[in-house]
């Protein structure tokens, strides 16, 4: 089985407003739908689309986008993504983790949001192919719960 160990690539977008009134669930659902539809470019662009600092970080964003596209080309587009966890702190900070199943191997997608005064903003979007730690910790949790 092909195993790609890739360091987590994160794009921090501390002040990127998706759109007024759009909730994190919508951002996540649309990004994942585009990935499953094999529209990797569009999925990446959508996940970070409203970064008002795009011009300042364009080179970094373009480099990360190429790495993400290359990763998806190597493992294949996901056929399914399922939520593993969602945690909200003080009703203003939120992280969602999804596991996506592709042809070659599973991978994780992480979304981090921050709620400014009125609107949620994307703080970061990242992915990782290293799902071993996640699997090991869930097995350990299942064993300890069964005792």
């Amino acid at each position: 089985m092909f195993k790609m160990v890739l360091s987590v690539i994160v794009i921090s977008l501390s002040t990127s407003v998706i759109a007024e009134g759009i909730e994190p669930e919508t951002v996540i659902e649309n990004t994942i739908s585009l990935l499953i539809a094999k529209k990797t470019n569009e999925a990446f662009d959508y996940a970070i689309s409203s970064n008002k600092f795009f011009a300042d970080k364009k080179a970094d964003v373009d480099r990360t986008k190429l790495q993400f596209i290359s990763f998806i080309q190597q493992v294949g587009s996901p056929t399914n993504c399922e939520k593993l966890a969602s945690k909200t702190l003080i009703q203003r900070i939120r992280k969602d983790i999804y596991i996506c199943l592709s042809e070659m191997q599973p991978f994780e997608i992480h979304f981090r949001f921050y709620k400014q005064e009125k609107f949620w903003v994307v703080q970061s979007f990242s992915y990782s192919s290293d799902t071993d730690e996640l699997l090991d910790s869930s097995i350990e949790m299942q064993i300890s719960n069964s005792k």
Side-chain angles (χ1 to χ4, degrees):
M1 177 178 188
F2 175 75
K3 172 90 171 131
M4 175 184 229
V5 176
L6 185 70
S7 60
V8 175
I9 296 179
V10 176
I11 295 197
S12 291
L13 308 168
S14 59
T15 57
S16 60
V17 179
I18 292 294
E20 277 187 24
I22 294 184
E23 293 294 316
E25 291 83 7
T26 304
V27 174
I28 293 167
E29 288 171 16
N30 290 342
T31 300
I32 289 174
S33 292
L34 288 166
L35 276 174
I36 290 172
K38 301 182 180 192
K39 297 180 178 181
T40 309
N41 280 327
E42 293 89 342
F44 186 90
D45 289 342
Y46 182 81
I48 65 166
S49 64
S50 58
N51 183 358
K52 68 182 183 181
F53 297 107
F54 229 0
D56 295 341
K57 297 183 179 187
K58 185 168 179 7
D60 292 336
V61 170
D62 288 347
R63 185 172 33 260
T64 303
K65 181 178 180 178
L66 288 174
Q67 291 171 340
F68 181 66
I69 291 168
S70 175
F71 170 73
I72 296 297
Q73 288 172 342
Q74 290 176 9
V75 300
S77 293
T79 56
N80 185 32
C81 295
E82 293 186 28
K83 182 190 290 189
L84 292 178
S86 181
K87 181 69 175 172
T88 302
L89 299 174
I90 62 170
Q91 299 177 346
R92 298 198 47 197
I93 302 167
R94 177 175 168 168
K95 182 171 185 177
D96 292 84
I97 303 172
Y98 282 74
I99 191 157
C100 296
L101 306 175
S102 70
E103 194 173 306
M104 303 269 315
Q105 69 181 60
F107 61 94
E108 297 173 32
I109 295 179
H110 299 240
F111 296 88
R112 189 176 303 240
F113 299 92
Y114 173 69
K115 189 172 188 177
Q116 295 177 334
E117 290 301 314
K118 295 181 181 179
F119 307 110
W120 287 98
V121 295
V122 172
Q123 186 175 8
S124 68
F125 168 75
S126 62
Y127 69 97
S128 173
S129 65
D130 190 7
T131 57
D132 291 344
E133 184 178 322
L134 178 67
L135 183 60
D136 291 344
S137 65
S138 48
I139 289 172
E140 289 171 14
M141 192 180 310
Q142 185 176 17
I143 290 171
S144 65
N145 287 339
S146 65
K147 291 182 180 181

